[in-house]
Amino acid sequence: MTSRTLVIVNTTGRQGASLARVASAVGYNVRAHITTKLSEKDGAVAKELRELKNIQIVEGSLEDEKLISTLFVGARRAFINTISWGDEVAIGKALANAAKKAGVQHYVYSSMPDHAVFGKGWPSLPLWSCKFTVENYIRQIGLPATFVYTGIYNNNFTSLPYPLFCMKLQTDGSFQWTAPFHPDKPLPWLDAEHDVGPAVIQILKDGPQKWSGHRIGLAYQLLTPRQVCKAFERGLSRPCTYKRGPITVEVPIPSGYRSQLEGIEDLFGKREAPYFGPDIEAPEEALSLWEGYRGMEEYAREVFPLEEAANGLTWMH
C-alpha cells in the first residue's frame, strides 16, 4: 500500500490540486497537505479534495516540525510546490530533509530559475530565486528528484483589476491586455489546473531512472502577447488587443509581490530575458509527457468565462 502513496504539498494550489485529481483517479493513495481548514466556509478546492477517493488530508503549517517529520513516512513519491509561507527556503530544506529520511524514492519539486546565475547581468526574481536555492539544496543532499519549471498560467488572466494579467473589459465589450512584455516575443504558457496533473503522473511513472536530476520546462504553447490576444479573440468572439506598457497596481498587494512585479518588468520587459533562462526549452519535453493539453483558445472559450462568473462578473451574459 505504501508503494502507491503520493505526498502532495500545497494541494489546494493549482498545481497540487491538478495532480491530486489525476492521482486519485488512477489509484494512488494521496496524502494531501493543505493549510486551510476543511469546513463549510472553505473554498471550492478544499471541499473538492475532501470528496476525492483515496485521499488523506494532512492539515497544518509547514513551519510545524512535527508535521514535517511525519509527512513522508511510508511514502515513496512526493510532489512539492511551496509558496511564500514564512521562510520558503527553510521550509523547502526541511521538507527535503524529511523526505530523504523517510526514504522517498522520487521527489518532484516545482522550482523556478534564478536569472542572476547566468552571468548576463540579469536580476533575481525574489519569489523564484528562493525556489532555485532549495533546488540546489535538494541536489546537494542526494535526494532523487526531478524539477519542473512551470510556464505562465493561462489561469492568471482575469478582468478584475489585478496587476500584470488583467484582461480589461472595455466599454465597447472588447478586451485589452496591458503588460511590459515585447508584443512579438514568445512566452511559455501552461493551463496549470488541466495539465500539471497528467504531466507529473507521467514523470512519476517513468521514475527517477529517467528523470532524476532533470529540469523540465512544463509549458505547452509558446505564444507572443499578440498571439495570446488573438486566441482570446477567437475563443470569446470579441475583439482583444495587446498594449505594451508598465505594470499598474490598482489594488493592495503584499510588498513581496510588488518586488516580484518590479523584477518581472525589468527582467522580461526591459531586458527581454528568456523566461526559463537560456538552458530550458519548451514545449517538446512537456509534450512527451502529456499531449492532451488545453491551449489558450480553448481556455478562453471554455474556462475563462466560468472563472469570471465565479468572481461575480456578468459580462458574458
Side-chain angles (χ1 to χ4, degrees), residues 10 26 42 78 83 94 107 135 139 161 179 191 211 240 257 260 264 304-305 307 309 311:
N10 185 21
V26 301
D42 286 322
I83 57 175
Y107 193 82
E135 175 186 334
R139 294 179 185 275
D191 192 305
W211 295 114
C240 180
Y257 186 49
Q260 179 80 358
I264 287 172
F304 182 69
E307 293 181 336
N311 286 326

Side-chain angles (χ1 to χ4, degrees), residues 27-95:
Y28 279 94
N29 300 304
V30 178
R31 189 178 299 162
H33 166 264
I34 67 168
T35 56
T36 55
K37 292 185 178 297
L38 292 178
S39 64
E40 291 303 314
K41 62 182 175 57
D42 286 322
V45 177
K47 292 179 182 179
E48 178 192 359
L49 290 173
R50 182 175 53 186
E51 297 170 359
L52 293 177
K53 297 178 181 179
N54 310 318
I55 194 161
Q56 171 197 0
I57 301 297
V58 177
E59 178 189 336
S61 167
L62 290 178
E63 295 179 314
D64 182 342
E65 294 180 4
K66 184 177 179 181
L67 182 148
I68 288 181
S69 70
T70 59
L71 186 59
F72 300 100
V73 173
R76 295 294 174 263
R77 301 171 182 86
F79 175 78
I80 312 298
N81 178 34
T82 56
I83 57 175
S84 51
W85 303 315
D87 186 339
E88 190 169 354
V89 172
I91 289 170
K93 289 180 177 181
L95 287 167

Side-chain angles (χ1 to χ4, degrees), residues 161-164 246-254 257-259 261-262 265:
Y162 296 132
L164 191 55
I247 298 172
T248 58
V249 178
E250 301 177 10
V251 295
I253 58 173
Y257 186 49
R258 184 178 295 273
S259 298
L261 291 173
E262 291 170 354
E265 187 163 347

Side-chain angles (χ1 to χ4, degrees), residues 88-89 111-118 121-133 150 152 164 181 247 256-269 271 273-277:
E88 190 169 354
V89 172
S111 188
M112 287 305 278
D114 180 352
H115 282 74
V117 306
F118 297 117
W122 295 332
S124 296
L125 295 181
L127 300 185
W128 288 10
S129 59
C130 56
K131 295 181 182 295
F132 188 74
T133 298
T150 56
I152 306 170
L164 191 55
F181 311 120
I247 298 172
Y257 186 49
R258 184 178 295 273
S259 298
Q260 179 80 358
L261 291 173
E262 291 170 354
I264 287 172
E265 187 163 347
D266 181 16
L267 183 62
F268 301 127
R271 301 175 190 255
Y275 191 80
F276 292 135

